[in-house]
Amino acid sequence: MMDYLSSKPDKSSIATAPPTIPPVAPRFPPPNLEQDQIPSSSIKYPTMLSPANGVKTGSSSSHLSTPPGPPVFTSPVRPAAVPFRTSPATPQPVALSSGSSLPTSSPPYFSNGSMELQQQLPSAIEEPVPDGKSPCVLFSANKVLKYKKQANIPSLGFGVLVSPGREASPGPQVIQQDPHRCHDCGAYSNLYSNILIGSGQWQCVICGNLNGSEGEYIALSKEELRNFPELSSPLVDFIQTGNKRPSFVPVTDSRTSAPVVLVIDECLDEPHLQHLQSSLHAFVDSLPPTTRIGIILYGRTVSVYDFSVESVASAEVIPGGTSPNQETLKALMYGTGIYLSPMHASKEVAHLIFSSLRPYKLNVPEASRDRCLGAAVEVALAIIQGLSADFSRGVVKRPGINSRIIVCAGGPNTYGPGSVPHSYTHPNYPHKEKSALKWMEHLGHEAHKQNTVVDILCAGTCPVRVPVLQPLAKASGGAFVLHDDFGEAFGINLQRASARAAGSHGLLEIRCSDDILITQVVGPGEEAHIDNHETFKNDISLCIQMLSVEETQCFSVSMENKHDIKSDFVFFQFVIQYSNVYQADITRVITIRLPTVDSVPEYLQSIEDEVAAVLIAKRTLLGAKSYSDAIDMHTTIDERVKDIALKFSSQVPKSKLHRFPKEISLLPELLFHLRQGPLLGNIVGHEDERSVLRNLFLNASFDLSLRMVAPRCLMHREGGTFEELPAYDLVMQSDTAVVLDHGTDVFIWMGAELAADEARSAAALAACRTLAEELTELRFPAPRILAFKEGSSQARYFVSRLIPAHKDPPYEQEARFPQLRTLTTEQRAKLKSSFIHFDDPSFCEWIRSLKIVPPEPI
């Protein structure tokens, strides 16, 4: 499995779709066809769980994902004092009226030399169509530069964030009917396809080939074609249910009955164990009654708990020094024990098992305790596989539903398969670690083949050897999360991990106009090599195999112009294919058309600063594999900002300074946050923590990625409202409380003057905590929420993530932080005196050091 798809791909691929099934739009047969056609019945499927309704999804290997949009606040949020973006720049789906749902009158330029379709096909549909947008697909700019030399300036770049599993507004659906595809390149018919209504032929927007529709698109008028979802919306879902019957609705909810197996470290000291027990008890109470659960403990042996024995915790014990052999597993599977049981029948036994756990008794350091994590996961896979495995022939049948293994680890895997020595000083440690890494990655791939996702949730102070365990989660499509302890954040993540809805068998297929070249893909997948040439002779799409299809994933796709573009539009088609949690096969087709321009200011005006910043950040983090690499990336960001100013703006008269383009004035501040923050700065200390944070970011959704780059700052006001302000240290006013959301951490800072008033501080703290919980209600991983007072030792976590604007002159402070104007002279003096001097530059100091005039605030 590839960590990152960073080479220049020549080949494309097929894609998986997001995990939701919106209301069904019936498909209407075109009139005047010789054969009688029965319109497909429309059915309504249960909506797949997603952040919109309380469930999450996880990410897999190499790169990224998509969490929820802005939350609904219990108390109203006041507008920002500065026009500071409060929510991700997520384009909303275009509301297409019945009169605007057909292709454009501007003929696309076809790279195969076809003449303009208007001249070729006089009866083609000629009505203009708005350029489609989708929340699943976010471009860094809404227009494309025509000239290759300008478009391919690498410091700014052009690309798109694709979130295959993102919850989208319910759109048109086509049930039990295959889509029309181009016979030449494999692209799908769409709202931009030019249609010959007399013959039903349609022209591909990607390659220009003319295709038949088996008479389906024959119509008396263009209005009749608006009944076809794929010809009226930029996003359409094609759905095939399991038994090919349009009226089929699953009787059982396979999502809630899918197995969840807990694999629990039993080598914990008493304080950690007490927290873990509390989290586990809350976890089983949160599960739906039909969810099947299994419980396995591991230390030097593997204990598989039996739910058939009531009123006592009973377990089968398997040696952990080697992989379990077939005879052992066969005896386990065909014995009298019940190792997977629905919650409605086993909740009491589960509570009994958790209550029976005991702390580690031997006098051995945490890092030196024997833990056979690898063997325990093998046993968990065997239990899930159950009787579907033919042990006599060594054949494993693929189960029909997705399963999840959640590992609760307090230390490294130091015993049995996939283990490393207790000490780094072991003479053969490098070789052992390399072997363990390969073994864990292989185990992850085996889990993926079995439709099982492995999430690893670690906690405590003992290093878990992240490089060894991470490949297991990555290769299976699971998540790897570090926690300070087994307390609140761990418990929440345990619940959210089990509730994440994961689609399987995912493929992402990307096709572009011939003018566009895909140069890099960063995300949770592997390049898939699928030979479609027998079906589609010139299919040059990029195909990515997704290890799971979940809400929190995202792919970052970088693109370039192959040559100067002559046409007025370029086209992009993203096809996501997957099986959802209800075992329906989904093909989601998203087609986007972007206009081309030759004016640089017009192009800059179309840039989405936040999307561009996230794309740049992902490309940058890809090269920051170690702390020293991360520090080197500071220079890379500096050079990038300087180059953008040099290439896209002008020099200040009678000065050596350059202006930064005013059209993208927010971009350098976002990159400054990236440079100084935990992803590239020195806030995160341990290399394990840095590695997990980097991997999470590369796979994360746009919303979470943006918050990890640049924190969101909200000041508490009287009456329980909040005002959004720039994340500057000028927000630290002693009579206020502030919430700072930095993606994986949320901080609540209480000013000293406010904290001295017990009643006011209690009310403010309660309001801030409520807001923090609402902001992160559906986020996975759930962030730490830390509250502290001004001047405390923990306050450094908060201060280090703010831009030190107190170092700037007053006129600049007011321009970038207008809320200062509301303070009295005495309050401003008190604020100024509260700051401690340190060497970190302010944003304005940094950008001036690059010989650039700071852009004026929006």
Side-chain angles (χ1 to χ4, degrees), residues 326-367:
Q326 289 190 3
E327 290 305 313
T328 301
L329 294 178
K330 195 172 182 179
L332 195 66
M333 294 301 106
Y334 294 104
T336 58
I338 298 174
Y339 307 109
L340 279 177
S341 177
M343 281 309 307
H344 65 79
S346 57
K347 181 179 287 190
E348 295 305 317
V349 178
H351 281 303
L352 189 64
I353 292 169
F354 298 146
S355 298
S356 71
L357 302 182
R358 295 293 177 263
Y360 189 79
K361 296 295 185 184
L362 302 179
N363 187 24
V364 178
E366 278 188 300

Side-chain angles (χ1 to χ4, degrees), residues 149-164:
K149 185 176 180 181
Q150 295 173 330
N152 292 354
I153 293 174
S155 53
L156 186 54
F158 173 74
V160 61
L161 297 173
V162 184
S163 302

Side-chain angles (χ1 to χ4, degrees), residues 151-230:
N152 292 354
I153 293 174
S155 53
L156 186 54
F158 173 74
V160 61
L161 297 173
V162 184
S163 302
R166 178 162 185 154
E167 172 76 14
S169 300
Q173 294 184 347
V174 181
I175 310 297
Q176 301 299 116
Q177 186 159 339
D178 292 329
H180 291 292
R181 301 187 62 178
C182 176
H183 302 310
D184 189 47
C185 71
Y188 293 69
S189 62
N190 55 80
L191 76 167
Y192 304 112
S193 300
N194 290 279
I195 312 291
L196 279 170
I197 59 176
S199 64
Q201 292 176 297
W202 61 278
Q203 188 157 22
C204 176
V205 298
I206 301 297
C207 71
N209 188 56
L210 197 61
N211 303 278
S213 64
E214 299 179 353
E216 193 171 11
Y217 291 161
I218 294 174
L220 291 177
S221 66
K222 57 190 177 185
E223 285 76 17
E224 292 173 359
L225 291 174
R226 295 184 184 130
N227 292 322
F228 292 97
E230 69 269 30

Side-chain angles (χ1 to χ4, degrees), residues 163-496:
S163 302
R166 178 162 185 154
E167 172 76 14
S169 300
Q173 294 184 347
V174 181
I175 310 297
Q176 301 299 116
Q177 186 159 339
D178 292 329
H180 291 292
R181 301 187 62 178
C182 176
H183 302 310
D184 189 47
C185 71
Y188 293 69
S189 62
N190 55 80
L191 76 167
Y192 304 112
S193 300
N194 290 279
I195 312 291
L196 279 170
I197 59 176
S199 64
Q201 292 176 297
W202 61 278
Q203 188 157 22
C204 176
V205 298
I206 301 297
C207 71
N209 188 56
L210 197 61
N211 303 278
S213 64
E214 299 179 353
E216 193 171 11
Y217 291 161
I218 294 174
L220 291 177
S221 66
K222 57 190 177 185
E223 285 76 17
E224 292 173 359
L225 291 174
R226 295 184 184 130
N227 292 322
F228 292 97
E230 69 269 30
L231 301 183
S232 61
S233 171
L235 182 152
V236 63
D237 290 338
F238 295 90
I239 302 171
Q240 293 285 353
T241 53
N243 63 359
K244 305 296 182 186
R245 286 191 288 112
S247 59
F248 171 73
V249 177
V251 176
T252 60
D253 185 341
S254 61
R255 175 187 55 76
T256 56
S257 62
V260 176
V261 178
L262 295 174
V263 177
I264 302 167
D265 185 350
E266 66 176 357
C267 300
L268 303 178
D269 293 328
E270 188 160 358
H272 287 315
L273 180 61
Q274 288 177 354
H275 282 135
L276 177 61
Q277 285 174 312
S278 298
S279 296
L280 292 171
H281 284 302
F283 171 71
V284 294
D285 285 337
S286 73
L287 291 176
T290 56
T291 298
R292 288 182 292 157
I293 189 174
I295 300 173
I296 294 176
L297 261 63
Y298 69 92
R300 191 174 176 83
T301 59
V302 179
S303 301
V304 187
Y305 279 86
D306 183 358
F307 292 100
S308 67
V309 182
E310 298 181 5
S311 304
V312 65
S314 172
E316 294 286 341
V317 179
I318 300 172
T322 59
S323 295
N325 58 42
Q326 289 190 3
E327 290 305 313
T328 301
L329 294 178
K330 195 172 182 179
L332 195 66
M333 294 301 106
Y334 294 104
T336 58
I338 298 174
Y339 307 109
L340 279 177
S341 177
M343 281 309 307
H344 65 79
S346 57
K347 181 179 287 190
E348 295 305 317
V349 178
H351 281 303
L352 189 64
I353 292 169
F354 298 146
S355 298
S356 71
L357 302 182
R358 295 293 177 263
Y360 189 79
K361 296 295 185 184
L362 302 179
N363 187 24
V364 178
E366 278 188 300
S368 300
R369 297 170 187 175
D370 289 337
R371 294 179 173 89
C372 58
L373 186 153
V377 172
E378 286 186 297
V379 173
L381 284 171
I383 290 173
I384 290 171
Q385 176 186 310
L387 298 179
S388 66
D390 184 347
F391 289 104
S392 62
R393 298 183 181 179
V395 175
V396 177
K397 297 178 183 177
R398 193 172 198 144
I401 55 178
N402 302 325
S403 309
R404 192 174 294 276
I405 294 172
I406 303 177
V407 179
C408 305
N413 181 35
T414 53
Y415 186 67
S419 64
V420 290
H422 298 105
S423 172
Y424 288 107
T425 59
H426 189 283
N428 209 19
Y429 189 89
H431 172 72
K432 293 269 190 183
E433 183 183 57
K434 188 176 180 180
S435 300
L437 192 150
K438 288 183 177 178
W439 190 90
M440 285 292 181
E441 186 175 30
H442 173 74
L443 183 60
H445 283 302
E446 290 301 309
H448 178 249
K449 289 177 185 176
Q450 198 175 311
N451 282 6
T452 300
V453 171
V454 181
D455 292 324
I456 301 178
L457 308 184
C458 305
T461 56
C462 179
V464 294
R465 319 278 172 92
V466 169
V468 176
L469 294 183
Q470 204 165 40
L472 170 58
K474 210 186 244 190
S476 70
F480 190 103
V481 188
L482 291 178
H483 303 84
D484 293 335
D485 53 46
F486 289 97
E488 182 182 8
F490 178 90
I492 292 171
N493 277 326
L494 191 60
Q495 295 179 31
R496 293 184 186 176

Side-chain angles (χ1 to χ4, degrees), residues 78 89 101 161 328 368 495 499 636 666 684 796 806 842:
R78 292 175 51 184
S101 54
L161 297 173
T328 301
S368 300
Q495 295 179 31
T636 302
L666 182 60
V684 176
R796 69 185 188 279
H806 74 275
S842 70

Side-chain angles (χ1 to χ4, degrees), residues 102-106 118 121-129 194-195 222:
L102 293 183
T104 175
S105 58
S106 301
Q118 298 276 21
L121 309 174
S123 60
I125 298 169
E126 299 176 358
E127 188 170 323
V129 179
N194 290 279
I195 312 291
K222 57 190 177 185

